[in-house]
Amino acid sequence: MRSKTKKNRAKERGRVGISRRVENILNCLCSGGQLRAEEMVPSSEILAANDYLPSSSSSRAADIEPRQDTGNIEEAESSLRESGCLNYEEARALLGRYEYQKGNIEAALHVFEGINIAAVAPKMKLTLAKKGDRRRRRSQSDAAPPMSIHAVSLLLEAIFLKAKSLQGLGRFKECLEAAQSCNFILDIETLNKAIELLPELWKLADSPHEAILSYRRALLHPWNLDAETNAKIQKEFAVFLLYSGGEASPPELRSQVDGSFVPRNNIEEAVLLLIILLRKFSLKKIEWDPSILDHLSYALSLSGGLRALANQVEELLPGIMNRQERYYTLALCYYGDGDSLTALNLLKKLLSERENPKHLPALLLASKICGENPNFAEDGISYARKALESLQGGCAEMRGVANYLLGISLSVHSRSVVADSERVQRQDEALHALETAGTMMKVRDPNVVYHLSLENAEQRKLDAALYYANHFLKLEGGSSVKGWLLLARILSAQKRFKDAETIINAAIDQTGKWDQGQLLRTKAKLQIARGRLKQAIKTYTHLLAILQIQRKSFGSGMKFLKGSGYPYKSLELDTWHDLANVYINLSQWHDAELCLSKSQSISPYSAARYHAMGLIYQKQSLNKEALKAFANAVDIEPSHIPSLLSMAVILRQLGSQSDAVVKSLLTQALCLDRMNPSAWFNLGLVYKQNGAASSQEAAECFQTAALLEESTPVEPFR
C-alpha cells in the first residue's frame, strides 16, 4: 500500500510539473510572445499533455528527468537562430514529429490536429515565393519573408506525417482531408514521399478519379524526383490502371507534341508506362523489376498485342531473363498471336538436349500446339508421353492435363491414319487417355468433359456422348454455345430431331443476339431434316439479317482483336450456300443463283459455291457443266468431300471413265472422312457394277453405309 501511495504521489507531482510548464508555454504562444531556448522542453509529452495524456505517459511522469535530446535541441536552436522564436504551429509540428518517431502514432496525430493549416498556408506560400524571387533578383532590399524556410519545412513535414498517421491507424474516412493536405504540399513545395502518398490516400478515400489525376500530376510536372521514385510512381499508376476496375478518361496533354501517341484508355496508358519503365531499365537508369514484365504481359494479352510483347522480350538485355524462360515466354507470345509454327520451333529449342528436354510447361504447350495440327499430331503424342514420364508420382492435376493433351493428339492422329486397325487402336487409346484425365480431375474440368463427349460421339458411342454433353453444360452453367451445339448434334445423330430443335431454341433464349449465328444455322438444318423446308428458309433469312447488321456494325467502327478481321465472314458465306441448297432441292433455280451471287461478292473463290453451281447443273441434267463445276471446286479445295463425291457420281453415271478413277475419288473422300455414309454407299455401287466377283465388297459397303446413316448428325460433331 505504501509503495502504491508513493507512486501515486510521484505521478501527481509529475502532472503538476508538466501542467505548469505547458501553461507557461501556451500562455507565451497565445499572447504572441516569444519562446526562448531556455524554455524549450526536451520531451514531447509536455505539449501533448495539454490535450492528450495517455496512461503510459502518466505512469512515467514521475520518472521524467531533465535529459536533453541532442537532435531536438539542435533543431530548435536552428529555428531560433533564424527567427528568434518558435510559434504555436511550429512547436506542435516539432513535438508531433517526436511522438511519431517514438511510435506514439495516436499522440502524434492528436498534436498534429492542433495545427491550423488554413491559417499558416498563406504565410508558407508567401515565404516560398519570396525565396524564389530572391534567387532570381539577388536583391538585399526586399522585405523579409513571414516565416523561415526551416519553419516551412517543419510544417510541411507535419502535414505529411499527419497523413501517414491517419493511414497507419486505418482511419480511411479521414483520408480525404489528409489527401487535401498533401495536395496543399504539392501546391507549394513537393516532397518525394508526399507525391507517392497522395494517390494512395485518394484510393483509400474511394476517389479513383482523383487518384488518377494525382498520378498524372506527379508524372507530368517537373518535381525533380529521383529516378527510382519516378519509376515507382509509374509502376503503381500502371498497376492501378490495369486492376482498379474503372475506366479513366484519356489524359489531356496541352503541351502534347503534334503526332505523338496519346493513350485512349486504361490499357494503352498502362502499356505506355510499363514500356517506358523497360526503356529506363535498358538505359540502366533503374534497377530491374521482374513484375514490370508480368504486368506488361497481362496488359498486352488483354489488348491482343502479344507480338509487341514478344518484341519487348527480345529487346531485353542479356542476363535479365533466364534463356529457358525467354524461350518459353516467346513461345507463349507467338502462339497467342496465332503463329503456332514459330512457337513450336522455340519450344523445340528449349526441349533440346542442350537446354532442358524435361521442361514440363514446354512439353505440355508443345503437345497442345501439335494436337491442333494433323501434320504434327504424332509429335504431340510424344511430347505428352514425355510429360507423363516426368510427372510420375507428381501432381494428379498436372497428370490429368498431360493425359488430356495426349488424348487430343491421339484423336487427331487417328483421323489421318489409313489402316483401319491402327485407326481403331488410336481411337481406343485416345478415349482411354481422356477418361484417365477425367478421373484424375474428378470429371470437373470442362475441357476434358467436352472432349470426352466429342470423342464418344465420333466413335458413335452416343449414350456416353450424351451423358458427357449434359455434364459439360452443367459445369458451364448453360453458358457455352459449343456445348448446346454438341448436345443438339448428338440428339440429331439419335434421330431425335424435335428434341434437338428444342435444345437449340432453349440455347437461343439464353444467348445474346450476336452469338446466335451458329445456333440458328443448326436449327435450320434440323428443320430441313424434319422436312420443314419453308421454316428453314425463314430461319436462314433471320440469320442473314443478323449477319448483315453485324457487318454494318463492323464497318462503322466495331473493334475486334488485331488481325482478326470480320469475324462472321465464314458463317455468312456458309449460310448463303446452305440457303442455295434448299432452293435447289425445291427446284427454285433463280433463288438459288441469287444466293450464290451473294456468296460470290463475299468470296469469289469458294469450293462450296462451285459445288452448289454443279448441283444446279446436275438437277437440270447438264452433266458436263456439272462435272466442270465440281472439278473447279476440287481445284480450289482438294479436300472438299461433297465435290469429290459428286464428281464420282457424275463419272459413274456417264461411264466415260474407268471404275478405277471413280473408286480413287471415293477412296480419297473416305480417307478424309471414314464416317461418311454417302461415300460408302457409292463405293458399294461401284463394286456392284463389277458383278458377282465383287458382291461381297459391295455388301460390306452397303452395310457400313446403312449403319453410319443411322447415327449421322445433321452436321459434323466437330
Side-chain angles (χ1 to χ4, degrees):
M1 289 293 292
R2 290 179 180 177
S3 62
K4 290 183 179 179
T5 303
K6 288 180 181 180
K7 288 181 180 178
N8 291 334
R9 289 175 181 173
K11 290 178 183 178
E12 188 63 31
R13 287 196 299 270
R15 290 195 190 98
V16 172
I18 293 171
S19 298
R20 286 176 181 173
R21 281 179 284 184
V22 169
E23 185 178 356
N24 291 336
I25 294 170
L26 293 179
N27 287 337
C28 176
L29 293 173
C30 292
S31 62
Q34 295 182 349
L35 182 65
R36 299 297 173 185
E38 59 270 18
E39 295 174 321
M40 282 292 296
V41 182
S43 176
S44 57
E45 281 91 341
I46 300 299
L47 186 56
N50 184 51
D51 301 312
Y52 177 85
L53 258 177
S55 59
S56 60
S57 176
S58 62
S59 67
R60 298 194 308 270
D63 300 323
I64 294 178
E65 296 178 2
R67 59 186 182 277
Q68 295 289 333
D69 185 324
T70 305
N72 300 353
I73 296 299
E74 289 176 355
E75 187 113 25
E77 287 178 348
S78 173
S79 180
L80 290 171
R81 278 197 302 270
E82 289 196 43
S83 61
C85 68
L86 190 68
N87 65 26
Y88 187 91
E89 281 78 13
E90 294 168 31
R92 281 190 171 273
L94 185 61
L95 296 178
R97 183 174 74 169
Y98 299 156
E99 287 288 359
Y100 187 88
Q101 288 174 341
K102 291 197 304 180
N104 298 331
I105 305 300
E106 291 189 20
L109 181 59
H110 197 72
V111 174
F112 289 138
E113 285 174 342
I115 301 174
N116 189 344
I117 299 297
V120 297
K123 296 180 182 179
M124 295 170 71
K125 290 182 178 180
L126 184 58
T127 299
L128 292 170
K130 285 185 174 293
K131 179 184 177 184
D133 290 342
R134 284 187 174 184
R135 286 176 179 173
R136 288 190 293 269
R137 293 197 297 262
R138 303 282 183 182
S139 173
Q140 301 297 326
S141 61
D142 296 328
M147 299 177 69
S148 69
I149 292 299
H150 186 275
V152 173
S153 177
L154 195 64
L155 289 169
L156 289 173
E157 184 182 39
I159 295 171
F160 172 69
L161 291 178
K162 178 183 177 182
K164 289 291 289 183
S165 300
L166 285 169
Q167 185 185 27
L169 292 172
R171 291 163 64 172
F172 299 140
K173 291 184 179 180
E174 300 173 51
C175 281
L176 181 62
E177 179 187 349
Q180 291 169 344
S181 298
C182 278
N183 207 31
F184 166 71
I185 298 177
L186 293 180
D187 283 339
I188 53 178
E189 185 174 286
T190 187
L191 298 169
N192 286 2
K193 291 183 180 178
I195 295 175
E196 292 181 60
L197 180 63
L198 178 59
E200 297 300 322
L201 292 173
W202 283 124
K203 286 189 281 185
L204 292 173
D206 196 22
S207 300
H209 179 68
E210 286 77 7
I212 289 172
L213 291 179
S214 62
Y215 273 126
R216 288 173 178 165
R217 185 179 184 186
L219 295 173
L220 292 175
H221 285 250
W223 304 117
N224 295 323
L225 300 176
D226 61 87
E228 290 296 335
T229 300
N230 189 270
K232 183 179 179 183
I233 294 173
Q234 287 177 324
K235 177 189 166 184
E236 290 175 351
F237 187 23
V239 169
F240 184 71
L241 288 168
L242 286 175
Y243 309 113
S244 65
E247 186 63 37
S249 57
E252 295 180 4
L253 306 179
R254 297 178 182 176
S255 60
Q256 188 69 36
V257 179
D258 291 339
S260 57
F261 175 76
V262 178
R264 295 169 296 178
N265 51 49
N266 283 26
I267 293 179
E268 287 189 359
E269 192 167 3
V271 168
L272 179 61
L273 289 165
L274 294 168
I275 290 178
I276 288 172
L277 288 171
L278 285 180
R279 290 287 183 271
K280 286 183 177 180
F281 168 73
S282 299
L283 297 172
K284 299 184 178 179
K285 292 183 177 180
I286 60 172
E287 296 293 325
W288 171 244
D289 182 354
S291 67
I292 294 173
L293 194 60
D294 295 338
H295 296 307
L296 184 61
S297 301
Y298 173 74
L300 289 174
S301 64
L302 284 179
S303 59
L306 290 173
R307 179 75 64 165
L309 177 60
N311 295 336
Q312 293 298 322
V313 173
E314 289 169 346
E315 290 175 6
L316 287 177
L317 296 175
I320 298 305
M321 288 184 72
N322 177 276
R323 186 163 60 185
Q324 295 178 15
E325 183 184 359
R326 185 189 292 259
Y327 279 143
Y328 184 68
T329 303
L330 287 172
L332 285 172
C333 291
Y334 284 111
Y335 175 64
D337 194 54
D339 191 350
S340 299
L341 188 58
T342 300
L344 186 58
N345 289 334
L346 286 164
L347 292 171
K348 286 180 178 179
K349 289 182 179 180
L350 173 53
L351 295 169
S352 65
E353 292 295 332
R354 180 183 175 185
E355 295 296 336
N356 186 1
K358 295 184 179 180
H359 192 283
L360 182 60
L363 287 169
L364 294 175
L365 181 58
S367 178
K368 177 178 174 61
I369 293 172
C370 291
E372 296 171 355
N373 189 331
N375 297 324
F376 301 118
E378 203 161 2
D379 291 335
I381 296 170
S382 175
Y383 288 129
R385 285 176 172 163
K386 287 179 181 178
L388 284 170
E389 289 175 6
S390 65
L391 281 167
Q392 289 296 331
C395 172
E397 289 287 332
M398 292 302 293
R399 282 187 284 132
V401 171
N403 273 292
Y404 162 68
L405 295 173
L406 175 61
I408 290 177
S409 292
L410 285 166
S411 177
V412 172
H413 187 250
S414 70
R415 295 194 291 273
S416 62
V417 296
V418 178
D420 288 342
S421 58
E422 185 180 359
R423 177 174 53 83
V424 171
Q425 180 184 352
R426 290 299 193 196
Q427 287 178 337
D428 290 343
E429 290 175 351
L431 197 55
H432 176 71
L434 290 170
E435 288 172 347
T436 303
T439 301
M440 289 181 171
M441 297 182 180
K442 299 179 181 179
V443 201
R444 293 177 183 171
D445 187 284
N447 289 324
V448 175
V449 175
Y450 177 79
H451 280 88
L452 272 168
S453 177
L454 192 58
E455 190 62 31
N456 276 291
E458 290 199 323
Q459 295 186 29
R460 297 304 192 265
K461 299 176 181 179
L462 298 180
D463 290 338
L466 187 63
Y467 166 78
Y468 285 118
N470 280 309
H471 188 49
F472 172 75
L473 282 172
K474 289 179 182 178
L475 291 174
E476 292 285 290
S479 61
S480 173
V481 171
K482 72 175 184 179
W484 291 111
L485 288 171
L486 180 58
L487 179 58
R489 289 164 184 169
I490 293 168
L491 289 171
S492 73
Q494 294 178 328
K495 307 309 174 189
R496 296 165 59 184
F497 299 120
K498 186 176 180 180
D499 292 341
E501 189 173 347
T502 301
I503 289 293
I504 291 296
N505 287 332
I508 290 172
D509 291 339
Q510 299 183 40
T511 306
K513 182 171 291 187
W514 299 138
D515 298 321
Q516 293 177 1
Q518 190 58 55
L519 292 169
L520 288 169
R521 186 182 179 212
T522 302
K523 178 180 179 177
K525 290 186 176 183
L526 289 168
Q527 290 169 335
I528 293 170
R530 296 178 66 188
R532 302 163 69 184
L533 299 184
K534 290 185 178 180
Q535 288 188 350
I537 291 173
K538 290 182 180 179
T539 303
Y540 279 129
T541 303
H542 178 53
L543 171 55
L544 288 168
I546 293 175
L547 292 172
Q548 187 176 11
I549 295 172
Q550 288 176 325
R551 176 183 280 275
K552 288 181 179 178
S553 299
F554 178 80
S556 63
M558 185 182 288
K559 301 297 181 184
F560 297 91
L561 285 179
K562 179 181 177 182
S564 64
Y566 175 57
Y568 307 107
K569 179 179 177 180
S570 177
L571 178 59
E572 185 176 0
L573 194 65
D574 292 339
T575 303
W576 282 117
H577 294 153
D578 290 347
L579 185 56
N581 288 329
V582 174
Y583 285 129
I584 290 170
N585 289 330
L586 293 172
S587 299
Q588 296 180 214
W589 316 125
H590 177 72
D591 292 330
E593 289 171 353
L594 183 62
C595 291
L596 295 179
S597 67
K598 292 286 187 180
S599 76
Q600 186 176 16
S601 65
I602 299 172
S603 178
Y605 301 101
S606 168
R609 186 173 69 84
Y610 276 104
H611 178 257
M613 289 173 60
L615 291 178
I616 293 175
Y617 291 132
Q618 188 178 12
K619 287 279 187 178
Q620 295 174 337
S621 300
L622 301 172
N623 289 335
K624 290 184 178 180
E625 290 81 357
L627 185 60
K628 184 178 180 181
F630 295 144
N632 288 334
V634 173
D635 288 340
I636 293 172
E637 186 180 336
S639 60
H640 193 253
I641 295 174
S643 296
L644 290 170
L645 295 178
S646 296
M647 281 185 69
V649 170
I650 291 287
L651 290 173
R652 185 178 59 79
Q653 290 175 348
L654 292 175
S656 58
Q657 298 289 336
S658 65
D659 290 344
V661 175
V662 177
K663 190 184 296 183
S664 174
L665 291 169
L666 295 172
T667 303
Q668 186 178 350
L670 286 171
C671 286
L672 295 167
D673 181 11
R674 300 286 298 181
M675 311 298 283
N676 191 304
S678 179
W680 285 107
F681 178 77
N682 281 285
L683 186 59
L685 292 177
V686 173
Y687 281 121
K688 183 180 178 181
Q689 284 181 342
N690 293 335
S694 301
S695 59
Q696 182 65 30
E697 289 86 349
E700 290 176 356
C701 288
F702 290 142
Q703 185 179 11
T704 302
L707 290 172
L708 290 174
E709 186 63 37
E710 291 177 359
S711 58
T712 298
V714 294
E715 57 187 358
F717 293 114
R718 293 186 186 274

